[in-house]
Structures are given as structure tokens and as C-alpha cells.
Amino acid sequence: MTDVDTSPPTHPAAIDAVPLRHPWRWVASVVIVVLVALFVYGAATNEAYRWHIFAEYFFNDRIFMGVSNTLQLTVYSMVIAIVFGVILAVMRLSPNPVFRSVSWVYLWIFRGTPIYVQLTFWGLIPTIYKNIQLGVPFGPSFFHLDLQALSIPFLLATLGLALNEAAYMAEIIRAGISSVPEGQLEASTALGMSWGMAMRRTVLPQAMRVIIPPTGNEVISMLKTTSLVTAVPYTLDLYSIATREIAAREFEPVPLLLVAAAWYLVVTSVLMVGQFYLERYYSRGVSRKLTTKQLEALAKAQQIGEAGHV
Amino acid sequence: MKPVVDETPTPMVKAESVCKSFGALEVLKGITLEIGRGEVLVLVGPSGSGKSTFLRCINHLEQVNAGRLYVDGDLIGYRDRGSKLHEMSPRDAAKQRRDIGMVFQHFNLFPHRTALENIIEAPIHVKRVKKNDAVARGKDLLNQVGLSEKAEAYPAQLSGGQQQRVAIARALAMNPKLMLFDEPTSALDPELVGEVLEVMKKLASEGMTMVVVTHEMGFAREVANKLVFMDGGVVVESGPPREVLASPKHERTKAFLSKVL
């Protein structure tokens, strides 16, 4: 005989245990707070930082313009890079050998050369290709555009950043696509979807969960890479305005570097918030954990069930 | 066993010496069989015998290398232009698959879509059914597989048996004329096998033509019209399930059945 109690279950009282203590966390926190306080005090009293100049230029109109230009460069080039990256990644994985090779060569060139060199090259395009003609090769032309007459450093900077970034995005997206189990493509195919539709409707949405965290990295990295557009040369981004224009005029490099750094931090923080919500959206269905809404519905059903028994 | 089997001239599936190799490995070495409309055929055999490969050839997930495979009179995977066969375009192949439902061993539900969204996905985007109609039909199908209260649940929140029932409903939503089951209960806990088999039995009794790869001999005995035993890429023995299971003629069949029964 075994001692198994088959009488109806009684309801024991909920456990009220003493929580585990963590004294060393408190000690570590105190040490860190003291160190930070010392650093802040030192920075506040050090003349070299010139905090009044920092304050004066933090809300300066030229700086605002620089922030706005940097943001536009980041957003436009990332959007182009993501669209182009998806195309390149899908080409790389497609059954079509022509697409695969084109994509491979693109990645080879754009990942294999430094971004600074590429940006300088984009800046030289109006010199190399003085005008654009559209027409029959070796025949008559219908359309003519004089590149040297245009002032297009912003456009060239955006394109330069975007085409370089697209190569990296392509690899991130490819990794995401490869992370989706093969059975997903198979199930979609068996339902009569074409390869393209299966990619768009089944594989890419699932790949997003893997794609978004490194893409968030890339956006933040792009925000800072925009400071290289001086190679084009484009001079109206945050870094150029703060250091080349204002700091050179005022002979105050330190506070203006801090102004630029602080603004980069502000924008990065905003981007991180956006990333948090995107990640949450694309992680739906991943966890067995029920959402708050589902839990409420279940609890309600349970209450109704119990009420019915009594 | 089902009493009525509709005997129309064109069988639902007709395989003529179907061969399939992966590189040098010959997996199917000439499979010839017919499945009539409304019939349930159960494929059994040891692992590596080619039964899953044959099933995947029927909806062209694998391309046949030799022989001919017809579903409802249509040649699968190729266009017959008199003297020569032409490889079929992906678009045409997709069109053929629309009428053939498939259920996988590991369910392969779309994890980012709820149960209902899984079911209405293909009708809306492949068949261009109106969303309202697809939802109504989807709810009806969920009801049929006994999961009407799980419409909003994601696959990860469902048990294996529930996921497989959703997968069956998803395949049925395309109104297929033929259903393929690739070891539908092999990945399930023993106590969950019954609920999936129950749904399949109901489906068979409603007259669906089914090809089932399974190790559930009870299901074969009770539901199937024909049992096919495969080994080494060939059909070793076939016939009414009761007969084959009770008195197998070939040594290989006997050896296999003694292990699984």
C-alpha cells in the first residue's frame, strides 16, 4: 500500500516567506554612487569644461539645424538601406543564380571598402560623371542632366551612407531569414503560396524578431557614422556644425564637443525607446506566457466556472 | 472501414512507377498505386522506407525523377507536351498544391499568427476569399476540430494535439480534394494522439480522400480502405488493412508488424 491521499483537496494558506536578502548589492551601490559623485563634482568645478558655453550653445539654432540634418541623414539612409538590404538578402537566398551572384558582388564591394573612401567617391561623382543622359546606348538621348550644375551634397551623402549600410543590413536580414525553420516555408508552399509570398507573409515577419535588435544597433551606429559625411563634403550635420563651424570660431572645442555628444545621446535614447516597442510587437506568439488580456479572460472564465459549481 | 467508396473512372491519385533520388541515393524505386475518390490509404513501413518522400512527391514538395504521378487526372510537376515533359513553372505548381492539403509531423503552424489567423491566411492571400467569409469559415473549422474557444491563442500557447488540430483545420480551409498526413501523431504525447485521430476519423467518414503515413495501426484497421507496406523504396505488400495486419504474406511485413503491433 502506498500513502496516497485521495480525499478531496483542502486549500492551504498562501506561503508568506521571508524574501532572500542581498547585502552586497547595497555595498556595491554605495561604492558606485560615491565614485560617480566624485566625478560629477570634479567635472562641475573644472574650468576646462566651460559649462556656461555648453549651456549657451546647447539650445543654439545652428546646433538645432545640425541635429535636424543628422537625423534626416540617419532616417533617410537607414530606410533606403533596409529596403535595399531586404532585396539583396532575398536575392542572395533566391533559387535564381543570377540574383545570387549580383547580390554577392554587391556585398563584396560595399563591405570590402571603407565608408570614408566610399563617401569621398560619392562626392567626386559630379566630377567623374559630369552629366547624365538617358537614351538608346550609342544612339540618341532623350534626357539630359548636368550634375555639376546641381548642389547635391546632402543627396550624395544620403546615398553614400545608404548603399554602404545596405550591404550590412543584407547580412543581418539574411541571418534573420535563415533563423526561421524550414518547415515554415514548406507549410506555406503546401498551402499554395509562391516563394515570394511565403517570404513576405511567413518568413520575413518571423525573421523580424532576429533582425530588429542588430538593426537597432545599426541605426544608432548610423547616427554616429553621419559625422563622416564631411568626406563628401557635406558640412551641415551636427558634428560639423559643432566642431568645424562654432568651435573653430569660438576657440572652445571642449564644451562644443560635449554639446554634440549630449545631442547624440539624446537622439540615441529616443531611438532606443522606439526599438523597445518594435521588439515587443514582433515578439508576439513567441512565448507561451499569456498576455494580460488573455490572463484576465481566463481568470474570469474560472470564476464563472467556480460560481457554477457552488 | 467506410462502407461507400465512389468508383469514378479517374482515381484521385495515380502513381506509375514513381522514382525519386537525392543525388546517388535512390529513395523511391518505382511506386505504383491508385487511390480512389473518398478512399483512405495508410502508408506504413520502417523509417527510411520512402513513405514520407512519396507523400511529398504527391504535392510536388519533391520533384519526381521517373515515372508519372497524377492527382485527379493532372500530371504533377510537369507539363506533358506530346513528345517531351516540361518542368512546371513555380506559379503552376503552386496552383496544383492549392487543392492538396498537407499536415506535417511537427505541425508547422505559423507561430506569429493566432489559430484563426493561421487558418484564414491562405484562403485570403492565395485564393482571394473575402476576409469576412474566410473568418466565418475559419471559425466553423475551429469548431469542427473542437477548438472554437482557442481562436485567439497563439500556437505556442496550445498543446501539441491542439496545434495539430489547428493545422488540420488550416489545410481544410483551402477546401482540398485530397489530404496528405505525414506522421500526424508521431510528435505527440500518447494521451494527445486520440484527439487528433478522432478529427481524422471524422474527416474520413465525411468522404475526404486521405493518404496517411502513420504508425497507428489501430487507426489503419478502423478507418483505412487500403494499407500499403513500403520498405526500401518499393511497395512490399498492400491490401485491406485487416487482412494485411492479421496475415501478412511477406517476411519483411511480418518482421515490421511484429515490432509495432
Side-chain angles (χ1 to χ4, degrees), chain A residues 184 186 197 201 206 294, chain B residues 56 109 113 121 125 157:
Chain A
Q184 292 293 314
E186 220 159 58
M197 185 188 279
R201 301 277 321 164
Q206 291 181 60
Q294 287 171 320
Chain B
R56 293 161 60 84
L109 287 178
R113 301 189 191 284
E121 172 72 10
H125 291 96
Q157 297 165 341

Side-chain angles (χ1 to χ4, degrees), chain A residues 183-184 186-194 197 200-202 205-206 284-291 294, chain B residues 56 59 61 94 97-98 100 102 104 108-113 121-122 125-126 152-154 156-157 170 174:
Chain A
Q184 292 293 314
E186 220 159 58
S188 310
T189 310
L191 284 166
M193 292 191 197
S194 65
M197 185 188 279
R200 198 159 39 83
R201 301 277 321 164
T202 305
Q206 291 181 60
R284 69 197 194 286
V286 169
S287 161
R288 294 174 53 97
K289 257 205 217 149
L290 300 171
T291 61
Q294 287 171 320
Chain B
R56 293 161 60 84
N59 71 348
L61 282 181
R97 289 194 194 99
R98 279 176 207 184
I100 305 172
M102 183 152 191
F104 299 86
N108 297 354
L109 287 178
F110 306 134
H112 59 306
R113 301 189 191 284
E121 172 72 10
H125 291 96
V126 176
E152 302 306 319
Y154 285 100
Q157 297 165 341
R170 176 175 71 174
M174 293 294 279

Side-chain angles (χ1 to χ4, degrees), chain A residues 33 42 59 86 124 152 219 252 297:
Chain A
V33 166
F59 295 110
V86 170
L124 292 171
I152 49 172
V219 174
E252 292 288 5

Side-chain angles (χ1 to χ4, degrees), chain A residues 68-106:
Chain A
S68 153
N69 285 335
T70 288
L71 260 180
Q72 287 186 43
L73 276 173
T74 309
V75 171
Y76 298 156
S77 54
M78 273 318 287
V79 168
I80 299 172
I82 289 170
V83 171
F84 215 51
V86 170
I87 296 172
L88 283 167
V90 169
M91 280 169 76
R92 188 94 196 268
L93 293 167
S94 99
N96 182 332
V98 180
F99 283 163
R100 277 206 305 270
S101 341
V102 169
S103 173
W104 188 88
V105 170
Y106 183 95

Side-chain angles (χ1 to χ4, degrees), chain A residues 19-20 25 68 70 72 92 98 108 141 149 152 166 201 210 216-217 245 249 256 259 304 308:
Chain A
L20 196 58
R25 289 184 192 173
S68 153
T70 288
Q72 287 186 43
R92 188 94 196 268
V98 180
W108 179 60
S141 82
I152 49 172
R201 301 277 321 164
V210 176
N217 258 350
E245 186 186 312
R249 192 177 66 218
L256 279 153
V259 167
I304 293 169

Side-chain angles (χ1 to χ4, degrees), chain B:
Chain B
M1 207 206 286
K2 282 188 300 166
V4 188
V5 171
D6 183 13
E7 289 289 349
T8 30
T10 38
M12 186 53 84
V13 179
K14 189 175 176 198
E16 296 172 348
S17 329
V18 168
C19 296
K20 172 70 191 171
S21 322
F22 295 100
L25 181 70
E26 226 184 338
V27 179
L28 299 179
K29 300 170 185 164
I31 304 287
T32 300
L33 54 82
E34 268 186 25
I35 303 160
R37 283 155 198 280
E39 262 189 342
V40 175
L41 179 128
V42 166
L43 276 173
V44 298
S47 68
S49 59
K51 47 197 196 313
S52 283
T53 304
F54 178 66
L55 200 70
R56 293 161 60 84
C57 285
I58 297 178
N59 71 348
H60 195 42
L61 282 181
E62 306 290 355
Q63 184 140 1
V64 170
N65 298 129
R68 300 281 189 276
L69 190 52
Y70 300 90
V71 171
D72 202 10
D74 285 336
L75 183 61
I76 290 292
Y78 296 93
R79 286 253 171 272
D80 194 350
R81 299 214 173 114
S83 59
K84 232 171 154 32
L85 289 188
H86 294 249
E87 246 180 86
M88 196 176 255
S89 75
R91 181 193 294 261
D92 290 338
K95 219 172 261 171
Q96 279 188 333
R97 289 194 194 99
R98 279 176 207 184
D99 299 331
I100 305 172
M102 183 152 191
V103 175
F104 299 86
Q105 180 177 0
H106 295 288
F107 331 132
N108 297 354
L109 287 178
F110 306 134
H112 59 306
R113 301 189 191 284
T114 63
L116 184 62
E117 285 169 353
N118 262 279
I119 295 171
I120 62 177
E121 172 72 10
I124 290 178
H125 291 96
V126 176
K127 270 197 165 170
R128 307 265 165 222
V129 174
K130 281 208 195 76
K131 177 145 191 219
N132 287 342
D133 299 344
V135 168
R137 169 101 171 108
K139 285 186 172 157
D140 181 41
L141 282 165
L142 273 175
N143 197 25
Q144 283 179 38
V145 298
L147 290 171
S148 43
E149 78 283 10
K150 295 290 185 187
E152 302 306 319
Y154 285 100
Q157 297 165 341
L158 299 173
S159 74
Q162 291 171 333
Q163 288 190 49
Q164 193 61 297
R165 285 187 279 156
V166 173
I168 293 173
R170 176 175 71 174
L172 290 175
M174 293 294 279
N175 296 323
K177 52 191 178 193
L178 169 66
M179 285 282 284
L180 310 174
F181 293 85
D182 190 2
E183 304 207 25
T185 58
S186 300
L188 297 177
D189 290 341
E191 88 262 26
L192 302 177
V193 168
E195 63 188 54
V196 172
L197 292 182
E198 214 43 58
V199 169
M200 290 168 64
K201 269 179 215 168
K202 205 171 105 203
L203 199 56
S205 71
E206 287 162 5
M208 176 62 76
T209 313
M210 294 161 60
V211 185
V212 186
V213 172
T214 186
H215 297 292
E216 295 293 330
M217 296 305 159
F219 175 83
R221 192 180 291 126
E222 208 178 319
V223 183
N225 304 89
K226 196 193 258 178
L227 185 142
V228 170
F229 175 72
M230 280 177 71
D231 193 11
V234 294
V235 173
V236 176
E237 186 167 354
S238 71
R242 278 167 206 278
E243 282 175 28
V244 178
L245 291 175
S247 49
K249 293 189 184 66
H250 287 261
E251 281 310 314
R252 277 192 286 179
T253 321
K254 277 180 201 162
F256 176 75
L257 289 177
S258 71
K259 279 179 216 149
V260 296
L261 280 178

Side-chain angles (χ1 to χ4, degrees), chain A residues 113-180:
Chain A
T113 54
I115 174 78
Y116 199 86
V117 172
Q118 286 175 30
L119 284 170
T120 313
F121 208 86
W122 281 99
L124 292 171
I125 278 198
T127 326
I128 304 171
Y129 303 100
K130 295 189 174 56
N131 51 58
I132 297 176
Q133 293 182 356
L134 217 66
V136 183
F138 308 109
S141 82
F142 314 119
F143 169 84
H144 181 265
L145 180 69
D146 189 350
L147 281 181
Q148 282 188 312
L150 293 170
S151 167
I152 49 172
F154 181 80
L155 183 71
L156 290 175
T158 309
L159 270 181
L161 291 171
L163 294 189
N164 175 266
E165 183 59 29
Y168 291 91
M169 282 308 303
E171 286 296 273
I172 289 174
I173 291 161
R174 187 168 68 100
I177 291 175
S178 308
S179 76
V180 178

